[in-house]
Structures are given as structure tokens and as C-alpha cells.
């Protein structure tokens, strides 16, 4: 039992169980995670000798930390449901229809810019679920609409839902470790550095994602006998321009404002720029490209009929007002010099020293984006858009109905990781599970770990359905491997975060959800196989960049 590889395998068993049950047996996360948590508890108690009191305290802390995340998820979904009831989403959809007849331009505007904006504001599966029906409404084959929405909904995911994958995902499992190593003052700069490295990797590679998606669109959805990427390449100037229109402000925001804003600000700046460019035919293709007539579409491209969105005559400026308010409130409440940040952060609910274990929980409930601005703006929308009380009540009811499966999976996922993290305090005097797994992995993989790190992030999203949950599952593990190999932990955590975003392209949960919005079913395997290509390219290039970056940092250290 002293063999480190045996111990590492035992520690990894609950994660392996999660992977197998979700990928091979198609269990949903809400069924897998409670069992995985129970397996971790058994291993921690029977093998590691962790006291039952500490296991219970770690579980309580994990569930409370999950609640912090759920408030943000609730607020993000509530905003979306309220906008649907007000007719704002239908108005936004209408606004995209008159911009360009070229399918490549439409794909970039909606699949890249609009999806990135929704990801920055809401996340959690809403971008693809919104964009795919929009594209179908414009005349895209349902299969093409889903592919575009999923491939382009990648770069923005690392900072989705106002930075939750970093602040709530990595933050949920790393704070105690970082504070113990470097003190409380190091925590926010630590998250900021992860955001900078994440944005830098995405800036270099993600700027090409619109072009890659257009090449895939051109190859798979051209008329019979014309399978080629040439139509995608013909739109390269506009695609690359659109890529930079998002990633340049995205990178600058990560540098100067922190990890909450890059996707939101990048899209808020990039979307009007790209819309104006399309209207003025700036860098757009000279020839208009379209799909073959619908009568020629293969059965695999098509879905069943779905209900149309409700009609709306709302002006576009009014439809977009809630999102502008969200962005303004976030910026105002996050800039230290304005004074609001400190006031909101000091409104805290806490549970210090849970069960006498030294585990401390706290929640700055007004600083959480879930409350300010999401829930706040959701209430404001009722008055701004003059929503009838009955429809507003339905938006809240719909939001609560969407939470149970997310809640169960998240509670047990965070609790499982916290038990693993607390396993280092045990009666046997052995290293914790994460350290044991990291030590064994470092011995096997060695200095090549930066190549592996993004793919671990992809795996986490593939099995859990969320970049945030992927970070919860693997951030501590990745950091411990970095410590063992003496390579920069913030860079490896950035690679985990980038991989978690890339995994969104092939995530089973997201594919199923997006398929449902356009009436497709039973063809998920086709999408996952196709999207696996850009996912591997994206992660592979990031891995090579990481090797160069880490070698350079070690040289100048």
C-alpha cells in the first residue's frame, strides 16, 4: 500500500469512475457525482485515515462553496429567461437578419460575436442554445447551425458568466492552498495572473477560430461534389478581422481589469465593430456564398420542426439595454478606485472553523455577480420592458425548474474535490490524494506535462458539461503536478482553464442541448467526431506555445 502508484490509482478511482460512467454508460452528472463523492469518502476514511469529522466539514464547505457558484448560475439563467418573456431575445434575433446575405458573414456575427457576448454574460450552455435557433431562422441547416455555435463557443468560455471558471471554478478549490502558501494578499493577484495567461493563449490561437469554423462550414455543407475549404478561406480576411475584434479587447481587459470581464467586454466592443464592418462590406468576401437549396439537403442536415420564437416589436436599443446595464454595473463595482468594490466585498456571510477543523467558509453575497448585477437587473427588466407580472413570475419559475440537475451535480462535485483536498490531514501522516496523484503523474510524464494539461481540461468539460466544473475537478491536481515539476503553477492552471473552454466544442451535454433547440436528435456522435478536429488543433497549438513559454520563464527565473 506504500507504493505511490497504487495509492495514486486509489485516489484517481473516483475520477476514473466519473469518466467511465459518463462517457461509456452515458450517466448524467447528477447521478454520477453523488456516487463519486461517496467513493472519495470511502477512500479518504479507509485508506488515508481521514477523520470522519473532517470529511463531514469538508463536505459542508464544498456544498456551501457550490452555493456561491449556484447564485451566479441562477442569476445568469434568470436574465435570459426574463429577456425571452419580454420579447427582447426575439428583437435581438430580428436585428441580425438584415446585416448580410452571405452565410459566412452571418456565421461569424452570430456564432462568434453574439455567442461570445452571451457566454460572457451568462454561460452554462445558453450561448449555443440561443445561437443555433437564430442561425436556423436565417436559413442554416440545423446540423450546420449547431456545429458553428459549438466550435465558435470556445475562446469565450474561459471567462464565461463574468469569469466564473476562474473565480468560481479554480477559486473554489485553490484559495486555501494559495493563501496558506503566500497569504491572503496574494489571492486576487494569483487569479489575475491566471486570467492573463489564459487570455494570452486564447488570443494567439483563438483569433483563428472563426476561420477554422468557416472552413468546416464550407467543407461539410457545400453542395454535393464541392467539398472544399476554399469557400471558408475566401472569407479569411473578414474571419481573422472578427477574431481580432474580440480577442484584442479580450486580452487587454484581462491585463487591466481582471478575470471577470474579458469575454463580456471583448464582445461588447467587437460585436458593433464587426456589424459595422459587415454593413460596409469591409473585408467581406466579394462573392456571396450560400447553402444548396433546402430540397437538396441530406436527411442528416435536417431536424424536426420546432416552435418559433414569440414575435416582438421592441426597439433594438431597448432589447440590448439590460446587457449594457450588466456590463456597466460590473465595471463600476469592480474598479477599486470607485470605492464600491470594498463596500460590496465587506458584506459577508461566513462560517469560520467548521466543526473545529480550521476550515473556513465565507460568501460576499453582494459582490457575487449572481446578485449584483444579474438578479438586480432581472428585476429592473420587469419595469424597463414593462413585463406583465404573470410572465415575470413564469421566468422565475422556469429558472428554478432548470436548477435541480445542475445543483445536484455541482454540490457533490465541489464536495468531492474538497474531501480530496482535506485528505492531507489524516491519522497516517501521508500526503493528500491530490499530492499523491500529482507526484505519480509527474514521475510518469515529467517535463512534458504542459502538453498534457489542456487535454485534462478538455476531458473535465467533456465528462462534466462545464468548464467551471472541469476546473473544480482538476485545478488542484494540475497545480500539484506543477509544484512537483517546479514549473509555474499559474501557467498550468491557465492551460487547464483553456482546455476546459476547448472541451465545450465536444461536450456531450452541450451537443445534446444545442441539438434539442433545433429539433435534431440521435446524431450527437457525428457532431462530436467533427468537432474533435478543431478541439485537438486548438489544444495542440496551445500545448506547444506553453512549452515555449514555460522554458522561457524557467530560464529567466
Amino acid at each position: 500500500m506504500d507504493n505511490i502508484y497504487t495509492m495514486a490509482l486509489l485516489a484517481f478511482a473516483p475520477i476514473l469512475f466519473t469518466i467511465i460512467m459518463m462517457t461509456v454508460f452515458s450517466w448524467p452528472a447528477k447521478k454520477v457525482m453523488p456516487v463519486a463523492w461517496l467513493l472519495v469518502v470511502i477512500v479518504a476514511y479507509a485508506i488515508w485515515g481521514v477523520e470522519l469529522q473532517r470529511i463531514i466539514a469538508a463536505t459542508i464547505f464544498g456544498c456551501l462553496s457550490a452555493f456561491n457558484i449556484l447564485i451566479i448560475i441562477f442569476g445568469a439563467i434568470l436574465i435570459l429567461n426574463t429577456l425571452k418573456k419580454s420579447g427582447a431575445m426575439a428583437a435581438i434575433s430580428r436585428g441580425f437578419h438584415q446585416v448580410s446575405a452571405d452565410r459566412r458573414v452571418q456565421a461569424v456575427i452570430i456564432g462568434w460575436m453574439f455567442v461570445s457576448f452571451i457566454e460572457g454574460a451568462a454561460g452554462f450552455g445558453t450561448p449555443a442554445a440561443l445561437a443555433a435557433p437564430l442561425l436556423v431562422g436565417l436559413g442554416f441547416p440545423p446540423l450546420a447551425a449547431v456545429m458553428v455555435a459549438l466550435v465558435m463557443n470556445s475562446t469565450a468560455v474561459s471567462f464565461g458568466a463574468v469569469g466564473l471558471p476562474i473565480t468560481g471554478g479554480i477559486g473554489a478549490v485553490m484559495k486555501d492552498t494559495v493563501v496558506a502558501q503566500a497569504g491572503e494578499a496574494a489571492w486576487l493577484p494569483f487569479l489575475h495572473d491566471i486570467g492573463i495567461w489564459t487570455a494570452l493563449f486564447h488570443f494567439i490561437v483563438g483569433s483563428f477560430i472563426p476561420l477554422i469554423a468557416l472552413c468546416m462550414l464550407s467543407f461539410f455543407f457545400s453542395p454535393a461534389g464541392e467539398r472544399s475549404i476554399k469557400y471558408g478561406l475566401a472569407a479569411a480576411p473578414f474571419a481573422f478581422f472578427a477574431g481580432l475584434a474580440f480577442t484584442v479587447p479580450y486580452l487587454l481587459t484581462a491585463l487591466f481589469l481582471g478575470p471577470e470581464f474579458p469575454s463580456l467586454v471583448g464582445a461588447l466592443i467587437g460585436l458593433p465593430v464587426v456589424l459595422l464592418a459587415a454593413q460596409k462590406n469591409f473585408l467581406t468576401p466579394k462573392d456571396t456564398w450560400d447553402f444548396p437549396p433546402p430540397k437538396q439537403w441530406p436527411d442528416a442536415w435536417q431536424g424536426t420542426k420546432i416552435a418559433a420564437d414569440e414575435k416582438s416589436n421592441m426597439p433594438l436599443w431597448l432589447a440590448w439595454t439590460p446587457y449594457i446595464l450588466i456590463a456597466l454595473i460590473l465595471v463600476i463595482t469592480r474598479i477599486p478606485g470607485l470605492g464600491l468594490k470594498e463596500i460590496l466585498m465587506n458584506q459577508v456571510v461566513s462560517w469560520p472553523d467548521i466543526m473545529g477543523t480550521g476550515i473556513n467558509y465565507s460568501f460576499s453575497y453582494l459582490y457575487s455577480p449572481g446578485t449584483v448585477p444579474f438578479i438586480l437587473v432581472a428585476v429592473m427588466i420587469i419595469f424597463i420592458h414593462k413585463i406583465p407580472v404573470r410572465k415575470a413570475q413564469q421566468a422565475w419559475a422556469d429558472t428554478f425548474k432548470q436548477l435541480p440537475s445542475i445543483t445536484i451535480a455541482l454540490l457533490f462535485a465541489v464536495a468531492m474535490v474538497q474531501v480530496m483536498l482535506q485528505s492531507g490531514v489524516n491519522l497516517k501522516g501521508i500526503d493528500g490524494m491530490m499530492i499523491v496523484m500529482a507526484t505519480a503523474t509527474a514521475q510518469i510524464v515529467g517535463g512534458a506535462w504542459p502538453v498534457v494539461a489542456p487535454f485534462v481540461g478538455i476531458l473535465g468539460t467533456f465528462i462534466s458539461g462545464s468548464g467551471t466544473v472541469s476546473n473544480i475537478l482538476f485545478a488542484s491536481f494540475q497545480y500539484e503536478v506543477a509544484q512537483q515539476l517546479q514549473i509555474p503553477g499559474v501557467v498550468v492552471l491557465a492551460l487547464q482553464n483553456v482546455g476546459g473552454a476547448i472541451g465545450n466544442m465536444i461536450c456531450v451535454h452541450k451537443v445534446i442541448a444545442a441539438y434539442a433547440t433545433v429539433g435534431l436528435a440521435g446524431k450527437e456522435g457525428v457532431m462530436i467526431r467533427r468537432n474533435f478536429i478543431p478541439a485537438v488543433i486548438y489544444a495542440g497549438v496551445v500545448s506547444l506555445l506553453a512549452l515555449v513559454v514555460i522554458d522561457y520563464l524557467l530560464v529567466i527565473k
Side-chain angles (χ1 to χ4, degrees):
M1 195 61 69
D2 291 334
N3 185 288
I4 190 168
Y5 297 112
T6 302
M7 294 292 283
L9 190 59
L10 286 168
F12 186 67
I15 297 174
L16 183 62
F17 168 82
T18 302
I19 295 169
I20 292 173
M21 297 311 295
M22 292 187 73
T23 58
V24 179
F25 296 98
S26 300
W27 276 29
K30 66 180 181 180
K31 287 179 64 177
V32 174
M33 296 318 304
V35 180
W37 166 81
L38 183 60
L39 289 174
V40 165
V41 168
I42 292 170
V43 173
Y45 183 77
I47 307 300
W48 258 258
V50 181
E51 292 179 297
L52 191 59
Q53 183 177 357
R54 180 164 293 275
I55 291 174
I56 295 171
T59 299
I60 292 171
F61 177 79
C63 291
L64 291 173
S65 298
F67 174 78
N68 296 9
I69 301 169
L70 283 165
I71 289 291
I72 302 174
I73 297 172
F74 174 83
I77 297 173
L78 178 62
I79 286 285
L80 183 63
N81 287 336
T82 306
L83 290 175
K84 285 182 177 180
K85 294 298 180 184
S86 76
M89 290 312 305
I92 290 170
S93 172
R94 186 184 68 244
F96 286 124
H97 277 246
Q98 303 301 321
V99 176
S100 173
D102 193 303
R103 300 305 188 185
R104 296 163 295 185
V105 175
Q106 293 172 350
V108 168
I109 291 171
I110 296 176
W112 175 247
M113 296 308 317
F114 182 63
V115 157
S116 295
F117 177 77
I118 297 297
E119 181 64 46
F124 294 98
T126 56
L130 276 175
L134 276 178
L135 290 167
V136 170
L138 287 172
F140 279 58
L143 193 68
V146 173
M147 185 191 75
V148 165
L150 288 171
V151 172
M152 293 200 190
N153 186 205
S154 48
T155 304
V157 172
S158 289
F159 301 98
V162 288
L164 191 62
I166 293 179
T167 60
I170 294 172
V173 295
M174 286 302 306
K175 185 172 183 179
D176 287 350
T177 301
V178 174
V179 170
Q181 290 178 350
E184 184 74 36
W187 175 237
L188 291 180
F190 180 81
L191 292 182
H192 193 175
D193 288 346
I194 294 170
I196 291 171
W197 283 111
T198 298
L200 183 61
F201 288 130
H202 276 313
F203 167 74
I204 296 170
V205 187
S207 299
F208 293 92
I209 283 298
L211 177 58
I212 291 172
L214 292 188
C215 288
M216 291 179 67
L217 191 68
S218 162
F219 184 81
F220 289 113
F221 296 96
S222 289
E226 292 187 29
R227 274 200 164 190
S228 170
I229 65 171
K230 67 179 181 180
Y231 300 110
L233 292 175
F238 182 76
F240 190 54
F241 169 76
L244 291 174
F246 173 70
T247 58
V248 169
Y250 170 96
L251 176 61
L252 293 174
T253 304
L255 282 168
F256 297 110
L257 285 180
E260 293 169 313
F261 306 117
S263 294
L264 190 61
V265 173
L268 272 173
I269 293 173
L271 182 56
V273 168
V274 172
L275 279 171
L276 182 62
Q279 289 173 336
K280 300 295 184 181
N281 293 316
F282 178 69
L283 297 178
T284 54
K286 292 180 180 179
D287 299 323
T288 299
W289 180 79
D290 201 352
F291 302 106
K295 289 182 180 180
Q296 298 178 18
W297 292 357
D299 290 341
W301 292 14
Q302 305 186 58
T304 57
K305 294 290 183 183
I306 55 174
D309 288 342
E310 60 182 285
K311 301 296 182 182
S312 172
N313 294 317
M314 182 181 294
L316 265 180
W317 67 266
L318 187 59
W320 280 97
T321 297
Y323 285 124
I324 303 300
L325 283 173
I326 288 171
L328 287 174
I329 293 171
L330 280 170
V331 172
I332 290 169
T333 56
R334 265 58 181 176
I335 296 175
L338 298 178
L340 281 175
K341 179 176 181 177
E342 291 73 18
I343 294 171
L344 297 179
M345 288 186 73
N346 288 334
Q347 309 307 308
V348 177
V349 173
S350 62
W351 185 350
D353 196 23
I354 300 173
M355 298 179 68
T357 58
I359 300 173
N360 303 305
Y361 165 78
S362 66
F363 177 42
S364 298
Y365 55 91
L366 290 183
Y367 191 69
S368 167
T371 51
V372 180
F374 287 165
I375 293 176
L376 173 63
V377 172
V379 174
M380 293 170 67
I381 294 169
I382 298 172
F383 302 98
I384 295 170
H385 290 175
K386 299 178 181 178
I387 306 175
V389 173
R390 179 183 55 82
K391 287 190 174 183
Q393 290 174 336
Q394 188 61 52
W396 283 74
D398 290 347
T399 303
F400 278 110
K401 287 177 185 176
Q402 290 173 256
L403 285 180
S405 60
I406 299 171
T407 300
I408 293 168
L410 200 58
L411 287 173
F412 283 98
V414 183
M416 179 186 85
V417 174
Q418 289 301 330
V419 172
M420 296 179 81
L421 288 172
Q422 290 295 325
S423 62
V425 181
N426 56 69
L427 299 176
K428 296 186 177 181
I430 56 180
D431 289 332
M433 294 184 192
M434 289 294 184
I435 294 177
V436 168
M437 284 193 294
T439 303
T441 304
Q443 290 178 5
I444 295 169
V445 178
W449 184 254
V451 175
V452 178
F455 292 94
V456 173
I458 290 175
L459 176 65
T461 301
F462 180 78
I463 64 175
S464 70
S466 165
T468 299
V469 177
S470 175
N471 288 348
I472 289 169
L473 288 172
F474 292 120
S476 295
F477 169 66
Q478 295 258 31
Y479 188 75
E480 291 296 341
V481 173
Q483 297 284 90
Q484 294 285 337
L485 295 172
Q486 297 184 329
I487 58 179
V490 290
V491 178
V492 173
L493 286 175
L495 293 173
Q496 159 65 36
N497 194 34
V498 170
I502 297 169
N504 203 66
M505 295 183 188
I506 56 172
C507 165
V508 178
H509 299 57
K510 302 289 174 64
V511 172
I512 292 172
Y515 266 35
T517 65
V518 296
L520 285 166
K523 303 165 187 172
E524 293 84 1
V526 174
M527 187 59 57
I528 291 171
R529 285 194 299 273
R530 286 183 181 177
N531 288 4
F532 184 74
I533 298 167
V536 170
I537 293 171
Y538 203 149
V541 176
V542 166
S543 296
L544 295 176
L545 285 171
L547 284 176
V548 174
V549 165
I550 289 174
D551 283 347
Y552 173 75
L553 291 175
L554 292 176
V555 168
I556 65 172
K557 187 175 178 180

